[in-house]
Structure formats: C-alpha cells, structure tokens
Amino acid sequence: MSAHEHAFACPFPVIDDCLQVGGVPLTRLTERVGRTPFYAYDRRLISERVALLRRHLPETVRLHYAIKANPMPALVSYMAGLVDGLDVASAGELRVALDSGMAPAEISFAGPGKREEELRQAIAAGILVNVESFREARVLVRLSEELGLPARVAVRVNPDFELKSSGAKMSGGPKPFGVDAEKVPALLHEIGALGLAFEGFHIFAGSQSLRAEAIVETQVKAYELAVRLAREAPGPVKVLNIGGGFGIPYFPGEQPLELVPIGRNLAALAERLRRDLPAARLVLELGRYLVGEAGIYVCRVIDRKESRGHVFLVTDGGLHHHLSASGNFGQVIRKNYPVVVGNRVRGTRRETVSVVGPLCTPLDLLADRMELAEAHPGDLIVIFQSGAYGLTASPTAFLSHPAPGEVLV
Ligand code: PLP
C-alpha cells in the first residue's frame, strides 16, 4: 500500500520526486547527517502545529509539552519557545527541560514511582511535583525540611472514568497512576497538615484519541471532578491540568482529530473556571500531537532479496530504532505506518514489497506488503509519523547495532 492509498496527507513537500525536510532535499540532508539511519524533525511543522492549536483554543488555556514524546534536547529547547510549560517524567527529562530555558515554575513532573533523589532534584529546581501516592507526599515533606524549601505539589488523580476509544487508557479502574479520586480528600488533608505548597490537580485520562467527542467528554468530567475535589483542598487551586490525549492518524482509515469541538468546549470550561476556581490556570498536556507528525525516520536499503516470489527490502534500520513502526509498542494488530522511498517518492515503477531491518526476528518489520516505488540498495526508506515515541521508545541495545542519528531541521 502506498502513502497515497494510505490516504495519508503528507506534510513534507516533494520536489523532483524527492522528499524535502525543512526545505532540504532528503538526499542532501542524508549527506549532511553523514549516516543512516536517522530521525529528522521539521521545525516549521512543529511551529505550525502549535499555531494551529492556538488558533482553536481559548487564549487562557496553557499549552504544555510532555517531553516523553520526544526528549531530543534541541527539539525541547525549540519547543520551550513555543509552549507555556513542559511536563517531565524523570530526573533525566527534568535536566533536558531545565536546560531548555523554560522557567522552572512552568515545569511539572508526573509518573508513578518517583525516586527520592528525583524528588529532591525537583524540589531544588522549584518545579511542580504531581504527587501520585501518600508515600510520595510524606517523602516530599521530609525532603522539603532537609532542603529548607517547601515542595510545590499538585495531586495526580486517578479518576473513575477513562478516555474512551483511546490508544492507551491511563485512568478509570485500578491504575498505578495517580491517587484514586475517592482517596484524594484524605491526601489533600494530609498535604495541608504537613505544610506542602498545594497548587492544584493533574488528571490525565489517556493518550492517542482521534475522537473529539471522547476528548470533550473527558475534559468536562475531569473539570467537574477537580471542582468537587477543590472543596477539600488546603488552598486555592492555581493549576488545573486536565490532560490531553490528542491523537494523530497513523493507519489507513484514520482521520485527523477535529479541533473545533474541543476548542468550543474548552472556551466553555475556561468561562466556568473563572467562577468556580478563579485563581486557576487551565493546562493541556500534549506530547505526540505536537511533534509526532513533524518527524520522519530514514533508513537505507542494504539488500534487496526475493524469497518465494516476495520482495524484501532489507534496511540498516529496524525495530531497535523504531519499535512503534514495527507494531510492537502497544499495537494489538500490526498495521503499517505510512512509508515511502524518500529519494523516489512516486517512482516510475511500483511494486509490493516488505521493508525489514537487520535483526534476526520476524518482528523486525517496518512495512508489510506495501506498494512502494521500486527500490534498490542505497535508496532511502522514510517512515512518517515518527516524531513521537520513536528513538527513546525503542530497544536500541538489542543486537548491538549503532544508534541512529537525530536532527532538527
Ligand atoms: N502526560 C502523561 C502523564 C502521560 O502519561 C502521557 C502519555 O502516556 C502523556 C502526557 C503524553 O501523551 P501523548 O503523547 O499521547 O500526548
């Protein structure tokens, strides 16, 4: 299946049948990078994506980038100039976020099982910690005393609802993330009694949803839950992070998320917020929606093999660099990401092939029986929708091949 049959709206221009990234032909960019495989992220597409969101969302809604989606330091620094805050999930990500120049006041830290040394660094940096357990609250109190700095905290709530039809459900039912909503009042009392600096709530219900109505429903529920919980809070709510979950289309038949209903709903919620929690800022926490479509993965054809009537393009890239494109990062049924031959996008002759990597496992499959331009050793295979959960979500040590390059163009 080609990118065209895939009904994929390729955001990268094609000139003389060669893909352009950040205004540079892919063949030239490959020379500039000096090796394959590599990931390339396009600044212009990232800026356009943030601008698109700003056009649809009310001005008062704060846009945060969850850097787990793509923690490349240059990209995070670029993003720091576009968004209102960064969300990190480890001390490693915190270092990248602080280096980006984002004000520590606008950085928050979520994730179950934060280690003591991570919490210590978070307090010292002056960032907001999304507390995910009673244990974490107590450790924060002790560390605050030791450091002579009160930890800034929000409570991450595990609500009793989920983001429907999402790729990853992070809430509803028993979950390791956050504190069950029914236990939150007790935690709020403890936070007040222990003297932590309470700032608000974090309610993240799920990821990768392409259904605006599901996102709207979740945002309303998260908002109403936060307003109810705020009655038990030890101080005014300053931050109300209602999560994100905005998805991008990866597979045939998937349509881009409609922003109009989401913007309309957020405008209504922002209006209610002014009355219900006048000190609070409404925050959206987005990862893949901001960067996923701005990135490609590029690998080179090493060998072209025919096996019992089927053509395999064997490349120098594979699941060790791009686990999600191989279908092994949370997919139930494997489907192809959009793929082209980047230096011959349409080509004169086309054929149905499978694109594989160098690993000795049938899982190392980047495209399964797709129609592509005819390709030979030396040609460049491009996988789109690779700007999020690419390199850092992949088992790079597996089979000890070299790590890929990364460029921001
Ligand atoms: N924030 C939290 C707490 C998450 O768990 C996740 C994803 O799992 C994200 C943000 C980013 O989600 P996405 O990249 O789908 O926007």
Side-chain angles (χ1 to χ4, degrees):
M1 189 175 294
S2 71
H4 302 271
E5 287 162 47
H6 214 283
F8 164 66
C10 177
F12 296 87
V14 175
I15 299 177
D16 294 335
D17 218 17
C18 183
L19 201 75
Q20 313 285 306
V21 185
V24 183
L26 182 67
T27 43
R28 181 162 171 185
L29 180 64
T30 305
E31 296 296 340
R32 183 182 121 179
V33 175
R35 63 189 164 123
T36 54
F38 64 92
Y39 280 90
Y41 315 116
D42 188 322
R43 285 186 172 86
R44 178 182 60 87
L45 293 177
I46 295 172
S47 295
E48 282 178 9
R49 178 48 56 102
V50 173
L52 176 77
L53 273 171
R54 300 267 194 214
R55 276 200 301 282
H56 283 86
L57 306 183
E59 260 177 29
T60 51
V61 169
R62 320 257 308 167
L63 213 52
H64 280 207
Y65 173 51
I67 83 173
K68 60 166 70 75
N70 189 330
M72 182 208 192
L75 182 145
V76 175
S77 296
Y78 185 67
M79 198 58 105
L82 300 175
V83 297
D84 307 307
L86 298 174
D87 294 301
V88 302
S90 67
E93 287 191 356
L94 174 58
R95 267 194 300 282
V96 174
L98 291 169
D99 284 349
S100 78
M102 176 59 74
E106 309 302 335
I107 299 174
S108 58
F109 182 5
K114 299 180 195 75
R115 286 173 289 121
E116 217 173 287
E117 56 269 34
E118 292 182 301
L119 293 169
R120 183 181 276 275
Q121 290 169 49
I123 298 171
I127 65 160
L128 182 67
V129 178
N130 291 320
V131 174
E132 312 225 6
S133 73
F134 284 78
R135 166 235 160 225
E136 232 173 55
R138 289 167 199 156
V139 173
L140 283 166
V141 171
R142 178 164 50 74
L143 295 175
S144 296
E145 279 165 13
E146 283 174 26
L147 290 166
L149 287 166
R152 298 175 51 219
V153 299
V155 173
R156 180 167 181 187
V157 184
N158 172 27
D160 55 0
F161 54 84
E162 61 184 30
L163 174 55
K164 289 180 190 150
S165 63
S166 58
K169 296 184 178 24
M170 315 277 301
S171 69
K175 287 283 185 276
F177 315 112
V179 175
D180 295 347
E182 54 279 18
K183 293 185 183 149
V184 169
L187 179 60
L188 290 168
H189 294 149
E190 194 161 324
I191 284 173
L194 295 173
L196 294 170
F198 171 80
E199 297 201 5
F201 296 106
H202 177 236
I203 306 176
F204 191 93
S207 173
Q208 181 52 20
S209 172
L210 289 169
R211 282 188 48 219
E213 65 276 21
I215 289 176
V216 163
E217 182 189 310
T218 301
Q219 289 177 339
V220 170
K221 285 184 176 166
Y223 176 84
E224 290 175 349
L225 174 60
V227 170
R228 278 199 306 280
L229 292 173
R231 293 185 199 123
E232 313 282 339
V237 174
K238 298 183 196 158
V239 181
L240 175 47
N241 180 332
I242 54 168
F246 294 23
I248 62 172
Y250 288 99
F251 309 120
E254 292 185 339
Q255 298 300 323
L257 182 65
E258 261 192 87
L259 290 178
V260 171
I262 296 174
R264 209 181 294 130
N265 180 57
L266 286 172
L269 290 183
E271 195 53 44
R272 287 171 70 182
L273 188 75
R274 266 216 296 264
R275 287 193 313 270
D276 294 333
L277 304 170
R281 307 188 298 246
L282 201 55
V283 174
L284 280 188
E285 178 170 325
L286 302 176
R288 94 179 67 225
Y289 191 79
L290 297 179
V291 294
E293 294 180 80
I296 57 172
Y297 174 65
V298 183
C299 52
R300 200 184 282 282
V301 178
I302 301 278
D303 205 347
R304 178 191 162 92
K305 296 171 69 169
E306 276 190 46
S307 169
R308 303 194 169 122
H310 190 77
V311 175
F312 290 92
L313 301 176
V314 186
T315 69
D316 56 6
L319 79 75
H320 53 312
H321 297 162
H322 202 334
L323 188 67
S324 54
S326 76
N328 295 294
F329 189 60
Q331 281 186 45
V332 181
I333 300 168
R334 191 197 173 284
K335 294 183 200 144
N336 290 327
Y337 273 42
V339 172
V340 293
V341 180
N343 56 310
R344 197 177 309 117
V345 174
R346 281 300 305 165
T348 45
R349 281 188 301 208
R350 300 186 67 80
E351 60 180 355
T352 298
V353 298
S354 292
V355 180
V356 300
L359 311 186
C360 302
T361 159
L363 300 179
D364 194 11
L365 182 60
L366 295 176
D368 185 21
R369 282 162 290 166
M370 268 185 118
E371 192 209 289
L372 298 178
E374 188 180 296
H376 293 274
D379 284 329
L380 299 169
I381 300 293
V382 168
I383 303 182
F384 295 107
Q385 309 299 74
S386 298
Y389 305 109
L391 177 54
T392 58
S394 299
T396 47
F398 188 42
L399 261 64
S400 304
H401 285 286
E406 271 191 307
V407 281
L408 180 67
V409 195

